[in-house]
Amino acid sequence: MYRAWHCPTPKRFDVTAQKLPDNLHRDTLAVRVGLERSQYGENSEALYLTSGFVQPDAETSAHRFSGAEEGFTYSRTSNPTVSSFEQRLAALEGTEAAIAASSGMGAILMMGMGLLRAGDHVVCSQSVFGSTLNLFGKEFAKFGVETSFVSQTDLAQWRAAMRPNTKLLFAETPTNPLTEVCDIRALADIAHAGGALLAVDNCFCSPALQRPTELGADLVIHSGTKYLDGQGRVMAGAICGPSKLIVEVFGPIVRTAGMVLAPFNAWVVLKGMETLRIRMQAQSASALAIAQWLEAHPAVARVYYPGLPSHPQHELAMRQQSGLGGAVVSFDVRGSDPGTLRANAFHVINSTQVVSIATNLGDTKSIITHPGTTSHGRLTEAQRQAAGIGQGLIRFAVGLEHIDDLKADLARGLETLA
């Protein structure tokens, strides 16, 4: 039999008893919150790559499977690494609990399956991510759920869309890709006055900049694929909210439907959250500099960035987003017609030599994309027009490269437009 060498220390030592003090800052929570250490005293959170967990006896197994006793049984229902991710994200968002999903869209699907049934009504911003529009407008509609799409920023439209059977209001802020900002507190008031819940997709800001529940939102949606991971490595999603909804409503759906987050992905995002604030601050600073430079460029027709005073919701964004505009800048290139606009946008994108042409965002590597043919490419032209997505629109997710290199990379295309 082969034996592994081990340090001759006792099998168990007291490293799990220390409790974190109350009222810690978010920077500390991002590094320290998680499950207790194992008996081995690891400093970095352990990665539990296992599908199942051995039970000490049949009685304990029965109690844990029935829910009468806490404990891990099967990784589709719970896993220590995933639980650490959920605890840390809940701490950062300031919510009672969080539940992980395999992706951000999986989290929205879980939310809909938990809250909605045939005959219910949803009010949703018409400016949300393209897949979110399709999920509410097409997929949920198959099961008898109707969705009214309204202007992201017109509160009168939100109020007018409310019905007696409205169960949910849904918005993302800022929106992808036009960075429209909604008034979270005002939408929460509208939702609650009508007996509905407000869910806010917070993936553009992350809890480093914005905590929607502090402004009245009931649920917070995350695509951990974006800034929570921060390096474009894995897919992940989550819902943050009250324990009652997380445990009693969404928990059974994950166990049954299986949109579970893989332990490895959870571990990667768990580690990514440790550097969340410093990344968001650095990338937001670079994004502001890029936006200011683009706004002065003669080949650019318009810049969409909440950190600019010219942004229609600039003051609101500064109040809600900790005084920062985030790391995504979108802009329209000039052109006389849709064909020319698309050709000019493609020219700018294709002329880059440093940034990545991809559809993700939230990476340390800057990413450039054409929303009209990617994230919103599956929408009808009417839907794209309603969402304000033109053929000359470019989305630029700013990473951590030197600002001068990013400007030079964009200038290669902008300064050679016909």
Side-chain angles (χ1 to χ4, degrees):
M1 178 182 292
Y2 294 100
R3 287 184 173 272
W5 181 90
H6 66 278
C7 180
T9 56
K11 269 192 172 183
R12 294 186 180 273
F13 38 93
D14 188 15
V15 296
T16 63
Q18 187 174 10
K19 182 181 181 299
L20 289 175
D22 296 329
N23 302 316
L24 292 176
H25 292 82
R26 269 180 280 180
D27 291 355
T28 305
L29 297 175
V31 174
R32 290 291 177 178
V33 171
L35 291 187
E36 294 178 342
R37 296 181 178 95
S38 76
Q39 68 268 31
Y40 300 111
E42 64 279 352
N43 188 45
S44 180
E45 290 80 9
L47 169 56
Y48 291 90
L49 283 178
T50 181
S51 57
F53 299 85
V54 176
Q55 307 302 308
D57 49 61
E59 290 79 9
T60 301
S61 178
H63 290 153
R64 289 178 177 175
F65 269 88
S66 70
E69 178 182 316
E70 289 189 356
F72 296 101
T73 58
Y74 188 53
S75 282
R76 180 161 52 81
T77 60
S78 60
N79 175 281
T81 308
V82 177
S83 294
S84 290
F85 161 75
E86 293 167 338
Q87 289 185 13
R88 183 168 292 179
L89 182 56
L92 291 180
E93 281 290 0
T95 59
E96 293 178 348
I99 188 165
S102 54
S103 68
M105 292 309 304
I108 300 174
L109 174 62
M110 183 203 313
M111 177 190 67
M113 292 178 68
L115 299 179
L116 306 172
R117 62 182 63 189
D120 286 345
H121 175 248
V122 176
V123 184
C124 180
S125 167
Q126 66 188 14
S127 302
V128 294
F129 178 53
S131 293
T132 306
L133 288 172
N134 279 329
L135 183 59
F136 279 105
K138 293 182 180 180
E139 307 306 329
F140 287 162
K142 295 176 183 177
F143 302 97
V145 175
E146 185 179 357
T147 301
S148 297
F149 294 98
V150 298
S151 165
Q152 167 88 353
T153 58
D154 188 344
L155 294 176
Q157 288 193 25
W158 289 87
R159 292 191 189 95
M162 294 293 291
R163 302 177 187 174
N165 61 333
T166 301
K167 295 297 190 292
L168 176 70
L169 275 66
F170 187 90
E172 60 186 45
T173 184
T175 58
N176 180 11
L178 294 180
T179 71
E180 292 181 338
V181 177
C182 70
D183 189 327
I184 297 173
R185 191 175 299 281
L187 290 187
D189 290 343
I190 293 171
H192 299 157
L197 299 176
L198 172 64
V200 174
D201 186 327
N202 196 30
C203 88
F204 256 47
C205 279
S206 84
L209 303 187
Q210 178 174 268
R211 299 173 87 175
T213 57
E214 292 182 350
L215 300 170
D218 301 287
L219 297 170
V220 181
I221 303 294
H222 273 288
S223 171
T225 314
K226 311 299 191 296
Y227 293 103
L228 298 185
D229 171 18
Q231 295 182 55
R233 297 168 292 190
V234 297
M235 307 291 286
I239 305 175
C240 303
S243 291
K244 185 175 181 63
L245 284 177
I246 297 296
V247 174
E248 298 180 13
V249 176
F250 303 129
I253 292 170
V254 169
R255 288 194 297 272
T256 303
M259 63 271 284
V260 62
L261 179 61
F264 178 79
N265 292 23
W267 183 82
V268 169
V269 181
L270 184 70
K271 305 309 292 180
M273 285 191 282
E274 295 182 359
T275 60
L276 177 62
R277 182 188 64 85
I278 58 176
R279 285 187 284 104
M280 290 302 297
Q281 288 189 333
Q283 288 170 258
S284 295
S286 292
L288 176 59
I290 289 288
Q292 291 169 334
W293 175 77
L294 286 170
E295 197 169 43
H297 200 286
V300 174
R302 182 176 177 181
V303 178
Y304 307 86
Y305 183 67
L308 291 175
S310 58
H311 190 282
Q313 297 93 42
H314 171 70
E315 292 184 3
L316 174 62
M318 294 302 95
R319 292 198 304 270
Q320 292 186 165
Q321 299 172 199
S322 305
L324 296 174
V328 176
V329 180
S330 294
F331 60 98
D332 287 318
V333 295
R334 296 190 183 278
S336 57
D337 56 77
T340 303
L341 288 168
R342 178 187 284 201
N344 288 349
F346 279 18
H347 174 76
V348 173
I349 293 169
N350 293 339
S351 297
T352 58
Q353 299 175 10
V354 175
V355 305
S356 304
I357 302 175
T359 58
N360 192 29
L361 58 93
D363 203 324
T364 53
K365 298 178 175 67
S366 294
I367 293 174
I368 194 168
T369 191
H370 183 255
T373 53
T374 56
S375 61
H376 293 69
R378 291 185 295 133
L379 302 182
T380 66
E381 183 59 30
Q383 286 177 311
R384 278 193 294 272
Q385 290 297 323
I389 310 298
Q391 291 300 319
L393 181 68
I394 294 172
R395 189 190 72 192
F396 190 58
V398 181
L400 291 178
E401 300 93 342
H402 194 283
I403 188 66
D404 291 343
D405 294 330
L406 295 179
K407 289 179 182 178
D409 212 31
L410 292 174
R412 288 186 181 92
L414 288 172
E415 295 177 4
T416 54
L417 287 173

